[in-house]
């Protein structure tokens, strides 16, 4: 799985009509789109996806935000995909993200930060299976 990662174009980006611009950044950086869809998460789905943050003070806000509109999950392929994609999106807080990163360009706040990227190969597989049939077959 080290050549695949899972991205989610978050509700703020979909609402701001920048799905295409963000995908353009992703493909120009050499990622191949292996699977993609537009979907709306239920509170239960968003809660499960971010279960690791259950004890954090921002958990409910995060679930509310991720269910506030449609999202676009994508399975992406590139060598060393997880690390390369985290570099491309930048730091969680857009004000701290490097120039040229997707969160710097499109993110509005630490919560409304435009895009998600898996943080490990193991999570990339789990998160891909969350949206698509399996992480091996996408
Ligand atoms: P990521 O791996 O860079 O997405 O960061 P985390 O896994 O730490 O956090 C998951 C998501 O929760 C982030 O992408 C943000 O949308 C949101 N988030 C993280 N930290 C905060 C915070 O301090 N406050 C709020 N409101 N949201 C946060």
């Amino acid at each position: 799985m080290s050549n695949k990662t899972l991205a989610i174009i978050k509700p703020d980006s979909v609402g701001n009509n920048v799905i295409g611009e963000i995908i353009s950044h992703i493909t120009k950086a050499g990622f191949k789109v292996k699977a993609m869809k537009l979907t709306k998460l239920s509170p239960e789905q968003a809660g499960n996806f971010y279960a690791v943050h259950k004890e954090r003070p921002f958990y409910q806000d995060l679930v509310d935000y991720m269910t506030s509109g449609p999202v676009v999950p994508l399975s992406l392929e590139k060598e060393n995909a997880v690390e390369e994609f985290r570099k491309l999106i930048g730091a969680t807080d857009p004000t701290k993200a490097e120039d040229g990163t997707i969160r710097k360009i499109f993110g509005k706040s630490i919560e409304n930060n435009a895009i998600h990227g898996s943080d490990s190969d193991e999570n990339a597989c789990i998160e891909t299976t969350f949206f698509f049939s399996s992480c091996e077959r996408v």
Side-chain angles (χ1 to χ4, degrees), residues 10 50 53 56 58 62 65 86 92 103 110-111 113 116-117:
K10 292 185 175 183
Y50 280 116
H53 292 311
R56 309 275 286 272
F58 58 82
L62 179 58
Y65 159 57
R86 296 286 299 195
T92 307
R103 283 172 165 169
I110 192 164
E111 181 178 78
N113 62 359
H116 167 85

Side-chain angles (χ1 to χ4, degrees), residues 105-124:
I105 298 167
F106 299 101
K108 298 282 180 273
S109 68
I110 192 164
E111 181 178 78
N112 286 222
N113 62 359
I115 192 156
H116 167 85
S118 306
D119 64 2
S120 67
D121 287 347
E122 190 191 356
N123 282 339

Side-chain angles (χ1 to χ4, degrees), residues 5-104:
T5 193
L6 189 279
I8 306 174
I9 300 178
K10 292 185 175 183
D12 54 318
S13 302
V14 177
N16 291 332
N17 216 16
V18 291
I19 299 173
E21 279 183 67
I22 290 179
I23 292 174
S24 176
H25 275 265
I26 293 170
T27 52
K28 278 184 187 148
F31 289 87
K32 274 196 179 150
V33 178
K34 303 298 286 183
M36 175 170 99
K37 65 180 166 191
L38 182 93
T39 186
K40 192 155 186 296
L41 294 175
S42 67
E44 193 188 359
Q45 285 173 313
N48 286 339
F49 188 84
Y50 280 116
V52 60
H53 292 311
K54 221 178 171 74
E55 306 307 325
R56 309 275 286 272
F58 58 82
Y59 177 72
Q60 190 56 49
D61 284 346
L62 179 58
V63 171
D64 291 348
Y65 159 57
M66 290 300 288
T67 55
S68 65
V71 294
V72 178
L74 306 102
S75 171
L76 300 172
E77 185 177 77
K78 186 184 180 181
E79 203 172 310
N80 199 20
V82 166
E83 203 182 322
E84 290 290 307
F85 195 68
R86 296 286 299 195
K87 267 192 238 159
L88 181 68
I89 67 176
T92 307
D93 181 349
T95 64
K96 298 190 176 129
E98 280 187 39
D99 283 348
T101 58
I102 292 175
R103 283 172 165 169
K104 182 73 169 193

